[in-house]
Amino acid sequence: MTTPQGRGVSLRQQCEAIEELKFYVTPSTLGDELTCAHVPTTDCPDPDNLRNFVFDQRRMFCPDRACGGIPLELTREKAEQVLGQGPWLAHMSAQFRTELLRHGHLQKFSPDQIIYRYGDAAGGMYGLVAGSLTINSAPPDAIPRLIHLGMAGAWTGEGPFLTGQPRRVELRALGETWMMHVPLDALEQMAARDPAVWRAVGLNTVLTVDVLVRIIHDLQKRNVECRIASVLQRAGWLGDMAIPLSQSALGVMANASRQQVNSAMKSFARAGWVKYTYRSVTILDTQALRRFSDGDGSE
């Protein structure tokens, strides 16, 4: 969607306003036309009022679900708030949270960008601030496959700190993604000052095992539609947003064919549980998906 042609506003002025919107509003061509990415049509500003729109919106979250809840201006304060409320840090002491985040560096990743691969040298931990990512894994002699989706507030990558060994999984940005990286040497310095850091970081591994137990449990369901519903229910942990996940990828996660996924998605969409395209899915009713997946597939 685009704004009307600029009336009395130069391309330079438009680009200055675009820069203030960072990567959420970008020029669609080298002409005078603007593209308003992730902004509803009714809110896409007229060029004459673009600068006012920037300042009115810059501290609000993107209203389009497709942006994954990434703020128009991601501040350090907001990033720390998201991570502090996540499943791991919410259980940690305020002192530990403050010390960990003090060492963190915000990093932006493009869609499909590799954050780290299986076998990469030892590195630090990553906390997901905004966007979405895939966790891919397999035995050493096999190709990594998609097993789970990361959710905002969650952390991963502590393996090298705990074991001193290389990476065991692959982490890939599914869409535009912001993460907080705490380097390995910072974690080691924290542990040298306070041995309790080892147990604190170990808790994150335990939380990861809890998720893996759920994934294994879901994959053991004989009914293929129940397995697909389980994957969608877990994807719902990401919130009410369009997840850039293809039906082929859903099939990998649910051990189902693309035809089986397509049939199930049509059924779930008719029930009002999901909304989908070939390349994305939005979860509308996680509770219904959970009831269906935990039953015999007859809901």
Side-chain angles (χ1 to χ4, degrees):
M1 74 196 120
T2 60
T3 64
Q5 294 292 323
R7 297 187 296 276
V9 178
S10 69
L11 179 61
R12 179 188 179 89
Q13 289 173 313
Q14 293 180 15
C15 288
E16 288 175 350
I18 289 166
E19 176 60 23
E20 292 172 13
L21 272 178
K22 307 293 184 187
F23 40 82
Y24 295 97
V25 181
T26 57
S28 59
T29 68
L30 292 179
D32 291 334
E33 196 174 57
L34 295 179
T35 295
C36 299
H38 305 156
V39 180
T41 305
T42 55
D43 292 340
C44 197
D46 181 276
D48 294 337
N49 298 315
L50 183 56
R51 184 170 295 278
N52 289 335
F53 177 85
V54 170
F55 287 104
D56 288 341
Q57 302 293 321
R58 64 188 305 163
R59 294 197 179 277
M60 294 179 64
F61 279 94
C62 173
D64 190 325
R65 293 171 179 168
C67 75
I70 300 176
L72 292 179
E73 182 180 274
L74 181 63
T75 64
R76 174 83 184 197
E77 179 183 7
K78 183 62 183 178
E80 293 188 0
Q81 179 183 349
V82 170
L83 294 171
Q85 295 173 349
W88 176 46
L89 285 189
H91 292 88
M92 296 294 99
S93 68
Q95 180 180 352
F96 177 83
R97 285 197 302 271
T98 300
E99 180 71 2
L100 183 80
L101 294 173
R102 185 174 67 85
H103 292 288
H105 306 280
L106 274 175
Q107 296 181 355
K108 176 189 170 188
F109 296 90
S110 303
D112 208 39
Q113 183 175 351
I114 296 291
I115 298 163
Y116 55 74
R117 290 184 172 88
Y118 179 92
D120 278 358
M125 294 184 69
Y126 286 87
L128 179 57
V129 177
S132 52
L133 55 83
T134 63
I135 297 96
N136 314 292
S137 186
D141 58 348
I143 298 173
R145 305 187 76 190
L146 173 60
I147 60 171
H148 190 51
L149 303 175
M151 68 175 185
W155 288 77
T156 190
E158 70 275 11
F161 168 70
L162 296 174
T163 67
Q165 297 178 3
R167 300 290 189 185
R168 278 179 158 78
V169 300
E170 177 186 274
L171 213 60
R172 182 189 298 263
L174 186 60
E176 194 166 76
T177 299
W178 283 90
M179 302 195 77
M180 184 80 78
H181 176 232
V182 178
L184 178 59
D185 59 351
L187 292 168
E188 292 175 339
Q189 291 168 18
M190 288 174 61
R193 291 190 296 269
D194 182 4
V197 167
W198 292 100
R199 176 173 289 183
V201 174
L203 175 60
N204 193 59
T205 301
V206 173
L207 295 174
T208 301
V209 170
D210 289 343
V211 173
L212 292 176
V213 168
R214 178 74 198 186
I215 292 172
I216 294 170
H217 171 76
D218 290 342
L219 285 172
Q220 290 176 328
K221 296 173 181 177
R222 295 184 179 181
N223 185 306
V224 64
E225 287 194 336
C226 289
R227 295 200 301 273
I228 295 168
S230 295
V231 170
L232 293 169
Q233 187 266 327
R234 295 199 309 270
W237 296 349
L238 275 68
D240 188 12
M241 58 176 278
I243 306 165
L245 197 65
S246 70
Q247 292 186 23
S248 294
L250 284 171
V252 170
M253 296 178 72
N255 192 23
S257 70
R258 191 170 64 182
Q259 291 75 20
Q260 289 171 323
V261 171
N262 184 262
S263 175
M265 294 297 283
K266 289 178 179 178
S267 175
F268 298 159
R270 284 195 299 268
W273 302 344
V274 303
K275 184 169 64 177
Y276 74 99
T277 67
Y278 178 70
R279 300 294 303 178
S280 70
V281 59
T282 302
I283 311 303
L284 304 177
D285 193 337
T286 57
Q287 292 303 314
L289 289 166
R290 180 64 179 269
R291 290 192 300 269
F292 180 90
S293 66
D294 284 348
D296 58 4
S298 62
E299 180 168 314

